[in-house]
Amino acid sequence: MLTIKKNNAFTEVIIWNKQKQSKSYKTKDEDKRKLINRLNSTMRSKKMIIDYCLANQWDYFFTITLDKKLIDRTDYQNALTKLKKLFNNYKNRYDKDFKFILIPELHKRTEKNGKKAVHFHGLTKINNYSFWNFNLKVIRDMAYVYESETISKRFGINEFTLIYNYNEFISYYISKYISKNYDATKIGKYRYYHSKDLELPFKNTIIKTDWFLENGLCPTYNNKFCDKYKFSNEEFYNFLKLNIDNNYNSLYYKYIAKKQIKNIKVGKKNED
């Protein structure tokens, strides 16, 4: 079985090993079972974060550290609700194309009340800069870091680092905040939050793999469950042109349109 995933940065082809994949780990130990379920849930969240990040364009990577003089930073739900409300109100009133991903994380140190404070990491796509009142804070490692007065007055210290052309790096970097919290109590309902209009990568699964494997390509990464092949979008576009049968070229056109399809038949392209 073969899965094709296309995002803004690259195309990935995954060949699944069904025999090894089907051997899932089972245990009657309740504690081990809960740990495994928690780890699996964390990995699913991490994969979704990476997919959302790679399939969308972003302007800023941000960190918001709550000021206890402005807001109770150990009241997780209240802090989260207020920040989401600010983002959603801004989107509805000033910037319909505004996008965000928001990941809450707990501090390592415990506050006097016995709880750990929460802070936030995330990504944004902003069009109305005047609302946020950005001021240049520092240039760090050749990256421009800004502070939003709008956030400072309501929540506390914040940094918005301008993203140039590193969406792929940022996507994997921000997903680490999901991994660090795998054993922590979820803050709110979910491990992460996002605006509703985010795109996901083009994704399609095909049963037959011969048409791909017979080209003798070496996997970029492999483990006992799968082999992964990484292409630039232009490279895979040209690969499909050469390897998709003329009579069944729906995959080729749907790949260009980034739309999901089912039951695609593929084979070698006819030369005449």
Side-chain angles (χ1 to χ4, degrees):
M1 187 168 65
L2 175 152
T3 298
I4 298 170
K5 290 179 70 175
K6 176 188 178 184
N7 54 58
N8 287 330
F10 57 86
T11 296
E12 189 174 57
V13 177
I14 307 168
I15 306 289
W16 299 101
N17 186 332
K18 293 177 68 176
Q19 183 178 1
K20 290 181 179 178
Q21 190 183 16
S22 64
K23 295 180 180 179
S24 56
Y25 182 76
K26 296 182 180 180
T27 177
K28 293 182 179 180
D29 188 304
E30 185 68 15
D31 291 335
K32 285 185 178 179
R33 187 181 64 80
K34 287 181 178 179
L35 175 62
I36 292 167
N37 289 340
R38 189 164 63 242
L39 288 170
N40 288 337
S41 176
T42 299
M43 289 308 299
R44 286 194 298 270
S45 297
K46 186 174 180 179
K47 287 177 182 177
M48 286 301 298
I49 284 286
I50 293 171
D51 281 348
Y52 279 130
C53 291
L54 289 173
N56 295 272
Q57 294 294 332
W58 306 98
D59 293 326
Y60 295 96
F61 168 82
F62 68 83
T63 298
I64 299 173
T65 304
L66 303 180
D67 186 340
K68 58 185 175 183
K69 296 178 181 178
L70 297 172
I71 188 171
D72 182 356
R73 54 189 192 177
T74 61
D75 187 344
Y76 311 143
Q77 192 57 54
N78 179 55
L80 179 62
T81 299
K82 287 187 174 181
L83 186 55
K84 285 173 59 184
K85 184 177 180 180
L86 174 65
F87 283 174
N88 289 326
N89 285 346
Y90 165 74
K91 180 178 177 66
N92 293 332
R93 297 175 185 176
Y94 304 104
D95 187 355
K96 299 295 183 183
D97 296 323
F98 175 66
K99 297 179 179 180
F100 72 86
I101 289 176
L102 185 64
I103 302 175
E105 184 184 22
L106 298 181
H107 286 280
K108 292 181 180 179
R109 289 194 300 175
T110 303
E111 301 283 289
K112 291 182 179 180
N113 62 3
K115 294 183 178 181
K116 293 184 177 181
V118 66
H119 61 278
F120 299 93
H121 303 281
L123 299 173
T124 58
K125 173 69 175 175
I126 295 172
N127 293 306
N128 188 333
Y129 295 97
S130 60
F131 175 87
W132 299 100
N133 295 317
F134 284 128
N135 295 312
L136 182 62
K137 186 176 182 180
V138 67
I139 299 176
R140 184 185 300 135
D141 297 328
M142 300 180 67
Y144 286 79
V145 181
Y146 297 87
E147 183 171 19
S148 165
E149 287 187 20
T150 304
I151 297 288
S152 298
K153 291 177 181 178
R154 304 185 190 194
F155 295 95
I157 299 171
N158 62 90
E159 289 188 348
F160 284 72
T161 303
L162 186 62
I163 299 170
Y164 290 97
N165 193 25
Y166 304 109
N167 259 25
E168 185 175 354
F169 169 78
I170 289 294
S171 302
Y172 292 106
Y173 177 79
I174 196 172
S175 69
K176 75 173 186 171
Y177 293 109
I178 294 286
S179 299
K180 285 167 65 176
N181 280 335
Y182 82 91
D183 60 348
T185 302
K186 290 182 183 178
I187 305 168
K189 273 189 173 182
Y190 308 104
R191 288 181 170 87
Y192 66 94
Y193 302 83
H194 61 85
S195 49
K196 294 180 180 179
D197 55 350
L198 296 188
E199 294 184 18
L200 281 169
F202 163 90
K203 184 178 179 180
N204 210 91
T205 300
I206 302 168
I207 301 301
K208 291 186 177 181
T209 60
D210 294 349
W211 67 279
F212 181 84
L213 291 175
E214 64 188 15
N215 287 275
L217 300 173
C218 294
T220 310
Y221 168 83
N222 69 306
N223 58 30
K224 64 180 181 179
F225 300 111
C226 67
D227 293 331
K228 292 186 177 182
Y229 302 79
K230 186 176 179 181
F231 302 82
S232 71
N233 290 335
E234 183 179 0
E235 286 173 341
F236 196 70
Y237 167 84
N238 292 326
F239 179 85
L240 285 181
K241 282 171 65 176
L242 293 173
N243 291 278
I244 295 296
D245 194 305
N246 280 333
N247 298 319
Y248 303 103
N249 55 12
S250 297
L251 177 61
Y252 171 70
Y253 292 110
K254 293 295 184 180
Y255 173 82
I256 298 172
K258 291 178 67 175
K259 293 181 180 179
Q260 184 144 341
I261 47 177
K262 297 180 180 179
N263 302 322
I264 296 301
K265 300 179 180 180
V266 295
K268 268 291 185 182
K269 183 174 179 178
N270 296 329
E271 297 298 330
D272 34 88

